[in-house]
Amino acid sequence: VWCVAVTPDGQHAVSGCNDGTVRVWSLGSGEQVQKMVKHTAAVVSVAVTCSGRHVVSGSEDMTVRVWSLESGKEVLRFEGHTGKVTSVAVTPDGQHIISGSRDKTVRVWSTPYGLARLELDCARVAMRAVQEMQEDEGQEDPRCLVEIVLRCFLVEEAEVVVYRCLHLSL
């Protein structure tokens, strides 16, 4: 088991497994109540929608999948990452899924259509933030940690990055 999430009603736990399956467990009885099979590699991230009706999984097979919690059937599949998917999240309204990957991108998917609406190149964003900080400071400070925060308020007009320099007392 690589990851777990709990349904909003607290009745079920969802696990992502090394064998490529997503499993749903009753927290009352401890029994497996659903097994979702389509991924071809380990499932390393799972999330449950706020409605509790769907599960989202991210896998080392470079896909993001959406499953019906009730039937266990795949309802959507997102492809486009060129590296292993390492994290998934769902917006509170359930309209967008955000995935992070070893390809150094964060993708925002529109659930009704299954299309990538926005792709953020994390490596480029982080490098730009560090360069701008060094220009602002005038020099490189080895005591400086960079905090990178991706914030997507609106998919069409995403605020890509906020950064600040935190100085350590050595």
Side-chain angles (χ1 to χ4, degrees):
V1 174
W2 285 101
C3 53
V4 294
V6 176
T7 57
D9 64 6
Q11 298 296 309
H12 297 95
V14 178
S15 62
C17 303
N18 196 48
D19 65 0
T21 61
V22 176
R23 298 172 189 245
V24 181
W25 306 87
S26 167
L27 291 177
S29 69
E31 293 183 20
Q32 179 180 302
V33 296
Q34 201 65 260
K35 181 178 176 182
M36 297 120 164
V37 181
K38 288 273 183 150
H39 285 293
T40 59
V43 175
V44 296
S45 184
V46 292
V48 180
T49 60
C50 288
S51 69
R53 293 177 41 211
H54 295 94
V55 174
V56 178
S57 58
S59 171
E60 292 183 347
D61 68 5
M62 300 183 282
T63 65
V64 174
R65 297 175 192 258
V66 180
W67 312 86
S68 165
L69 189 64
E70 185 179 338
S71 71
K73 295 195 185 294
E74 180 185 284
V75 295
L76 285 171
R77 180 177 66 237
F78 302 104
E79 297 177 331
H81 279 297
T82 58
K84 298 173 181 179
V85 176
T86 56
S87 58
V88 293
V90 184
T91 57
D93 63 5
Q95 294 298 305
H96 297 96
I97 293 170
I98 297 109
S99 58
S101 169
R102 294 271 178 143
D103 65 10
K104 301 179 185 170
T105 65
V106 172
R107 289 180 182 245
V108 180
W109 308 90
S110 176
T111 55
Y113 308 107
L115 303 173
R117 298 286 301 277
L118 176 67
E119 179 179 332
L120 306 175
D121 184 331
C122 298
R124 187 175 302 138
V125 168
M127 184 174 285
R128 188 181 72 221
V130 171
Q131 288 170 345
E132 288 178 11
M133 262 187 0
Q134 289 173 354
E135 289 170 8
D136 290 346
E137 301 271 330
Q139 61 183 351
E140 186 175 339
D141 186 341
R143 298 174 301 146
C144 183
L145 296 176
V146 178
E147 180 179 278
I148 303 295
V149 181
L150 296 174
R151 298 190 304 179
C152 299
F153 297 106
L154 297 173
V155 174
E156 292 82 12
E157 300 171 21
E159 180 176 343
V160 175
V161 67
V162 173
Y163 60 90
R164 65 176 182 251
C165 183
L166 305 170
H167 290 278
L168 300 174
S169 0
L170 300 175

